[in-house]
């Protein structure tokens, strides 16, 4: 059973999410928060498997709340669900440690898929926002040089992460096992000094570690 904490100050959206998730046998909403402060408290008390986080909250916003929760529990899985498509919100949320970034106009099945994805420890960035990351990269002129010393195989796995592929899809693409992919992902995190797939994607794009198509 995947336990879920909903963080949004709009009751109609929380009710809608609860209705969607009520049809999933392996998911259960265990708490609701209408502010960042309340979310931080409930995240510690309930230790939910996944936290669905809005950005526009009264008091502490969702980005700051995400950073605080992650600082207290780096293993917390946080899926940002927002209406904002602006570059700065996407980058701020991912840098704060969010494991996923989904737009509120996403179909209900995409929300369910995203919850499952971040619960597995993988990242979920809606394709439209992934393209924004690439565009941000193309608009930048100065970045740090890569000092990560990734192996050729780790580079291939990193490309898969940037493309939004799951561990299974990367394994199939490279003809290796899921377990081997997990090992490579762990080594990539260590070398890039990041804590999540989404942070690895940002680092890779900003530091030109992968070819941009």
């Amino acid at each position: 059973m995947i336990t879920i904490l909903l963080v949004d100050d709009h009751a109609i959206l929380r009710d809608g999410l609860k209705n969607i998730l009520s049809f999933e046998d392996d998911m259960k909403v265990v708490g609701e928060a209408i502010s960042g402060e309340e979310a931080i408290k409930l995240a510690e008390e309930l230790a939910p498997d996944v936290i669905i986080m809005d950005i526009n909250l009264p008091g502490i916003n969702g980005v700051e709340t995400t950073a605080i929760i992650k600082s207290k529990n780096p293993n917390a899985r946080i899926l940002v669900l927002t209406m904002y498509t602006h570059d700065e919100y996407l980058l701020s949320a991912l840098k704060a440690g969010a494991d996923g970034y989904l737009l509120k106009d996403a179909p209900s099945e995409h929300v369910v898929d995203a919850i499952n994805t971040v619960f597995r420890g993988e990242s979920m960035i809606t394709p439209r926002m992934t393209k924004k990351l690439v565009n941000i990269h193309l608009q930048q002129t100065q970045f740090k040089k890569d000092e990560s010393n990734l192996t050729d195989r780790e580079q291939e796995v990193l490309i898969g992460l940037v493309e939004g592929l799951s561990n299974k899809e990367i394994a199939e693409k490279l003809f290796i096992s899921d377990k081997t992919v997990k090992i490579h992902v762990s080594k990539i995190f260590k070398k890039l000094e990041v804590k999540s797939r989404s942070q690895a994607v940002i680092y890779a794009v900003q530091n030109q570690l992968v070819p941009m198509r």
Side-chain angles (χ1 to χ4, degrees):
M1 182 68 68
I2 301 175
T3 56
I4 300 167
L5 171 64
L6 302 179
V7 185
D8 197 295
D9 61 333
H10 292 93
I12 189 169
L13 187 132
R14 297 196 309 274
D15 290 343
L17 285 173
K18 284 190 294 183
N19 182 59
I20 291 171
L21 299 177
S22 67
F23 292 98
E24 303 299 319
D25 295 333
D26 59 346
M27 295 182 183
K28 180 180 180 181
V29 175
V30 295
E32 300 177 49
I34 62 173
S35 68
E37 291 86 350
E38 188 176 9
I40 293 167
K41 179 181 178 181
L42 290 180
E44 191 167 357
E45 291 178 356
L46 302 175
D49 295 316
V50 176
I51 301 171
I52 298 181
M53 181 77 65
D54 188 20
I55 286 181
N56 188 21
L57 297 172
I60 303 175
N61 66 37
V63 172
E64 294 172 308
T65 302
T66 294
I68 292 172
I69 292 175
K70 280 286 190 175
S71 69
K72 293 175 178 290
N73 179 15
N75 294 320
R77 308 298 187 195
I78 300 180
L79 171 64
V80 170
L81 183 61
T82 180
M83 66 178 68
Y84 294 119
T85 61
H86 304 304
D87 301 345
E88 61 268 25
Y89 287 111
L90 171 63
L91 289 175
S92 295
L94 297 182
K95 287 179 179 178
D99 301 280
Y101 197 100
L102 197 63
L103 301 178
K104 285 185 176 180
D105 61 0
S108 57
E109 59 267 24
H110 287 190
V111 176
V112 173
D113 288 343
I115 292 172
N116 280 310
T117 298
V118 299
F119 174 69
R120 293 194 301 267
E122 302 176 5
S123 65
M124 173 64 186
I125 304 175
T126 189
R128 184 161 44 147
M129 301 308 291
T130 301
K131 290 180 181 178
K132 277 184 172 288
L133 284 177
V134 174
N135 289 335
I136 292 169
H137 160 76
L138 294 175
Q139 293 168 5
Q140 299 294 327
T141 57
Q142 294 182 345
F143 294 107
K144 296 184 300 181
K145 294 299 182 181
D146 175 34
E147 298 178 353
S148 58
N149 297 317
L150 296 178
T151 65
D152 290 343
R153 180 61 85 187
E154 289 165 355
Q155 177 80 8
E156 292 174 332
V157 171
L158 182 59
I159 290 173
L161 297 183
V162 172
E163 291 175 346
L165 303 181
S166 66
N167 282 0
K168 182 178 180 181
E169 290 170 331
I170 294 174
E172 292 175 350
K173 181 179 180 180
L174 301 180
F175 302 103
I176 56 179
S177 69
D178 291 6
K179 182 178 180 180
T180 300
V181 172
K182 290 181 180 179
I183 292 173
H184 286 312
V185 170
S186 178
K187 290 181 178 178
I188 289 170
F189 285 4
K190 184 176 181 179
K191 290 183 177 181
L192 301 187
E193 298 182 354
V194 298
K195 297 180 179 179
S196 70
R197 293 166 67 100
S198 54
Q199 290 179 350
V201 169
I202 289 178
Y203 187 98
V205 172
Q206 290 186 331
N207 291 279
Q208 308 179 62
L209 303 190
V210 295
M212 293 294 119
R213 294 183 176 84

